[in-house]
Amino acid sequence: MIISQLPPQLLAIEVNTPEKFSSTADIVIHLLDTNDNVPKFSSDYYIARIPENSPGGSNVVAVTATDPDSGLWGEMKYSIYGTGADLFLIHPSTGIIYTQPWAILDAEVASKYNFYVKVEDTEGKYSLAEVFITVLDVNDHSPEFNENIQEKTMIIGSPVKVEAIDQDAEEPNNIVDYSIMQADPANVFDIDQSTGEIKLKSYIRSLDIIHNITNNKDCIWSLVVQAKDRGSPSFSTTAVLKIDITEETLRKGPMAAFLMQTKDNPMKALGVLAGVMGVMVMITILISTAMFWRNKRSNKIMPVRRIIKKRQNYQSRTIRMEWLKFKRSSNAAEKFAVEDDTRSLQNENSNNNFQVPPPPPPAAPAPPPAPVFRVSAPEWRVPTVSGSLSSQVGSKPMKKKGASCTANNALVSELKQRFEMRNAALGHPHV
């Protein structure tokens, strides 16, 4: 509410008296406020950090809001809501956010929380802001080995590895450094500080050198390995490592090397063997299924041996005219005879599953083409052609018999008649 004091004053003067007495009074006007403003936060979002080992009820952050209204309309109330607000509370009047009395913050479980805060006046007008809370990691875990006493097999030339895990959420609390605390003899092994790989000194390349260093013929040595994190304060743990040193077996084959490397972990070897057998079984099933469906679709049983089929020789049945080739034939029907090769109906394996289709029926002979008469140039001389035909016919010995001689004589006579008709049409003398 805003109070405004106005400077004007109220003046009262007598009218009907000669003294004209007067008096003044101050005028004070009080303006009544209405709820015409919305409460607002000082920021749209708030960022806070809290260590993970903080006890329950620890303050996290304070949010502030203002409302220009006065009186009843200026009273504000804070509240929080959202999925990440389960572990936190807020004071309704001051806006201070603090953890639940029973809350346990663990950065390894959840390191980020966010929710909304709400401020509202008595009439229900409100505004929102978002809160982001980060749980800071504290070095409260020490590195841990899988086993406090471990057994490894080392092949000369190949390292063995130890590993410790730190459950802290952030660096450098979860970074582990490795070191050899105790070894007998002391100058045989080296360890990588970051990876935990243990290997022999570079000058040790055979078991003979190891035998010269120590009298221990078993070549089984024990080391005390320490794993230490980089947090503050720092935590560490140790483990005893028994190493069995053997000669290099990679030259004997990859299987021997694999078995040697999996000596300490037989389940790994069994898993690899089971995987190989599973792949082989799947391949066998796929091949069998493919062959079954192929035989089922073909609807026949495939033989064990390969069937060699003889290709049928279909000779061409082109009809050749005797009067064009001047070929003698004792029987004209022989030209159209169809020979059936009964041996081609069966394959060499005598498997009659394959039905050979019968040969097609013989086609009827094509009729001879009609003779075509062409008008030749005037310089072509019939006597020359006629003389050559007559001389050729006369020069051949008459050794043919029967229908062949008759067909030749008829053909020559027909040709002579056609030449005579042609000469008569062209006006040439008859020869």
Side-chain angles (χ1 to χ4, degrees), residues 257-292:
F258 173 76
L259 293 177
M260 184 61 67
Q261 293 176 359
T262 57
K263 178 181 178 181
D264 301 326
N265 190 4
M267 296 304 297
K268 181 179 179 181
L270 292 177
V272 173
L273 181 61
V276 173
M277 294 180 62
V279 171
M280 295 177 64
V281 170
M282 290 299 298
I283 293 175
T284 305
I285 293 175
L286 290 176
I287 294 175
S288 301
T289 304
M291 294 181 64
F292 170 77

Side-chain angles (χ1 to χ4, degrees), residues 138-141 168 173 228-236:
V138 176
N139 191 23
D140 54 352
H141 292 86
D168 289 318
N173 298 331
K228 184 178 180 181
D229 61 27
R230 299 182 183 179
S232 180
S234 179
F235 295 96
S236 63

Side-chain angles (χ1 to χ4, degrees), residues 148-274:
N148 293 330
I149 300 176
Q150 303 183 21
E151 295 182 358
K152 300 285 185 179
T153 300
M154 175 181 288
I155 302 173
I156 295 179
S158 300
V160 295
K161 185 178 181 180
V162 293
E163 184 178 7
I165 300 176
D166 194 314
Q167 299 294 337
D168 289 318
E170 298 177 359
E171 298 179 357
N173 298 331
N174 57 3
I175 298 178
V176 180
D177 294 330
Y178 300 92
S179 61
I180 298 176
M181 301 299 295
Q182 183 180 355
D184 185 21
N187 296 323
V188 175
F189 298 98
D190 287 331
I191 188 169
D192 190 292
Q193 180 180 359
S194 301
T195 62
E197 289 185 351
I198 301 174
K199 58 184 179 180
L200 294 172
K201 295 284 186 179
S202 59
Y203 64 88
I204 301 177
R205 298 180 180 178
S206 65
L207 289 177
D208 296 335
I209 299 177
I210 298 176
H211 293 160
N212 294 331
I213 296 175
T214 178
N215 295 325
N216 187 0
K217 302 301 181 181
D218 295 335
C219 295
I220 300 177
W221 295 336
S222 297
L223 304 177
V224 179
V225 180
Q226 182 189 60
K228 184 178 180 181
D229 61 27
R230 299 182 183 179
S232 180
S234 179
F235 295 96
S236 63
T237 186
T238 58
V240 177
L241 181 63
K242 295 181 179 180
I243 299 179
D244 181 9
I245 302 176
T246 61
E247 289 283 359
E248 185 177 5
T249 58
L250 295 177
R251 296 179 182 178
K252 299 180 181 179
M255 182 58 67
F258 173 76
L259 293 177
M260 184 61 67
Q261 293 176 359
T262 57
K263 178 181 178 181
D264 301 326
N265 190 4
M267 296 304 297
K268 181 179 179 181
L270 292 177
V272 173
L273 181 61

